[in-house]
Amino acid sequence: MIYICVYTVANDRLLAQLCGFYSMKTGQSIQWQSYRDHLIDVSEDPSFLAHELHSGSSLPLTWGICRPNVRNKIAELMTLGQRCTVIFIAREAGKPVDTYHLKAICDVQNLENQFTIVGGAGSVFSGYGNLLITASGNGSFQHQEYFDQIARHGSTGLRIDGHGDWYERVGAFDWHHPSLVTHLENSNRKEFRKGFERYGLHGNAVLELAHAQANWGYVPKDNYVVFDTQSIVLRNGITIASVLTGEHERWERHDVATQVQALVQHSRSHLRVTKRGSRGGFPHPHVRMEESSREMVSRLIEAVGSSGLECIGNSRELNP
């Protein structure tokens, strides 16, 4: 399966905060100006900055917070032995024109779950900024995410509450579990979820995993996507399209843009959906293509290879 997913690029203020987060984690001074043109995701998911900072040690790009519907489907497909590829398009917000750039073409290598990452000893991903939980001792886990920390410290001036549904992004309830059915006799799923979200929004909700597993049939999800270390990750990307507010995109006239446009239009007419009616008005639903479109991805890789673009770390040779 092949997916195209759009993400939003961090502005200077958020990028500076993100570099401050990694400076704290690594004990090194990381200057945000050095990564200003590298199309880093607004919530570090995918983990483009961590991937670049660790490129010398071959640590892979990961994806663990955003678009849980896509990541859950990838987990399902990988269990069936299917190959999954994700193409990431960066959206750089502007007024009145947004710009789109090709950032990465990534094959999925494997999947992990965040409980194992933060609860185990020495996971290579424990210092990444795209985790939703942290271990709080005695088998308990607390909602904690980099994006939410910035919001609560108020250093950006933005109103960001993190992900209130964090517990369902990293795991799932068995709604047919006998104990949960009994618990819900005087309530319902919506109210049950609100109980978590009310606390999860402020990062102080604790989930006792053993209790949740025994009483609610809660199961951690293996949906923290780990990409192949030889995935193609472009340092500065390449501009492929632009869009005026309320309109569809206008594609650039070069081979890379043409190949991305062909992939998008193989599935639907436009990358950006102007009718903001579904999923809270989300304008960039993912594009999904069957394996039969693999040859089109190969042509895109050939076009990127011919463009002479700089890749990060151990990106494979630019050929199909």
Side-chain angles (χ1 to χ4, degrees):
M1 193 70 72
I2 300 156
Y3 293 92
I4 298 177
C5 294
V6 176
Y7 69 92
T8 299
V9 175
N11 60 27
D12 289 352
R13 185 164 47 184
L14 286 174
L15 180 59
Q17 292 294 329
L18 178 55
C19 288
F21 169 83
Y22 280 122
S23 294
M24 177 186 68
K25 285 284 187 179
T26 62
Q28 302 175 357
S29 177
I30 300 170
Q31 302 300 314
W32 67 269
Q33 294 89 342
S34 300
Y35 303 94
R36 190 176 194 179
D37 299 321
H38 294 198
L39 305 173
I40 304 302
D41 180 75
V42 69
S43 56
E44 180 60 347
D45 189 58
S47 58
F48 289 121
L49 184 53
H51 175 63
E52 187 164 354
L53 292 172
H54 294 96
S55 60
S57 57
S58 303
L59 290 186
L61 184 72
T62 64
W63 193 26
I65 297 176
C66 300
R67 298 187 186 265
N69 57 330
V70 177
R71 293 185 291 104
N72 288 336
K73 186 62 178 180
I74 287 174
E76 178 184 326
L77 294 171
M78 292 289 287
T79 300
L80 299 174
Q82 295 191 31
R83 180 182 180 183
C84 293
T85 300
V86 184
I87 299 169
F88 287 109
I89 306 296
R91 169 186 166 268
E92 198 166 18
K95 295 181 179 180
V97 179
D98 290 352
T99 309
Y100 295 84
H101 315 268
L102 174 66
K103 173 65 176 178
I105 307 169
C106 305
D107 284 336
V108 178
Q109 178 175 296
N110 64 283
L111 298 107
E112 298 194 16
N113 78 69
Q114 294 194 33
F115 292 95
T116 301
I117 291 171
V118 303
S123 170
V124 295
F125 306 122
S126 60
Y128 275 38
N130 62 343
L131 297 168
L132 283 167
I133 56 176
T134 184
S136 56
N138 299 319
S140 296
F141 296 85
Q142 184 174 6
H143 174 220
Q144 178 178 294
E145 53 182 303
Y146 143 75
F147 209 23
D148 187 49
Q149 287 178 327
I150 286 181
R152 287 186 287 114
H153 291 161
S155 53
T156 65
L158 298 177
R159 184 176 179 179
I160 305 167
D161 291 324
H163 296 87
D165 62 346
W166 59 275
Y167 55 94
E168 289 192 289
R169 290 178 183 247
V170 298
F173 294 108
D174 176 4
W175 299 107
H176 301 289
H177 190 279
S179 296
L180 186 54
V181 170
T182 301
H183 179 82
L184 294 175
E185 285 179 355
N186 298 316
S187 182
N188 56 50
R189 294 185 189 183
K190 185 176 181 180
E191 292 301 318
F192 182 75
R193 286 189 171 103
K194 280 185 177 179
F196 273 87
E197 293 172 3
R198 187 175 298 114
Y199 299 102
L201 287 171
H202 301 288
N204 57 5
V206 173
L207 188 148
E208 296 179 357
L209 185 58
H211 175 82
Q213 288 175 318
N215 293 279
W216 305 327
Y218 187 81
V219 179
K221 289 181 182 177
D222 291 334
N223 65 356
Y224 186 82
V225 177
V226 180
F227 293 108
D228 191 293
T229 54
Q230 294 189 8
S231 293
I232 297 168
V233 181
L234 302 176
R235 189 174 300 279
N236 302 108
I238 180 172
T239 303
I240 56 172
S242 59
V243 60
L244 283 166
T245 302
E247 296 185 5
H248 293 301
E249 64 274 5
R250 297 179 181 180
W251 296 92
E252 296 290 318
R253 295 184 177 180
H254 56 73
D255 196 20
V256 173
T258 298
Q259 297 303 328
V260 176
Q261 182 182 8
L263 277 162
V264 171
Q265 295 183 346
H266 186 69
S267 179
R268 67 170 185 251
S269 58
H270 297 282
L271 182 64
R272 187 185 191 281
V273 178
T274 58
K275 185 177 180 181
R276 300 169 66 91
S278 62
R279 199 163 174 79
F282 189 60
H284 299 103
H286 65 272
V287 179
R288 185 181 67 182
M289 290 151 288
E290 300 295 332
E291 190 63 26
S292 57
S293 302
R294 182 67 58 184
E295 180 58 33
M296 300 176 72
V297 177
S298 296
R299 289 197 292 270
L300 172 60
I301 294 173
E302 288 178 352
V304 173
S306 299
S307 68
L309 296 166
E310 182 183 3
C311 294
I312 293 173
N314 297 290
S315 295
R316 69 173 182 266
E317 293 296 324
L318 292 179
N319 52 59

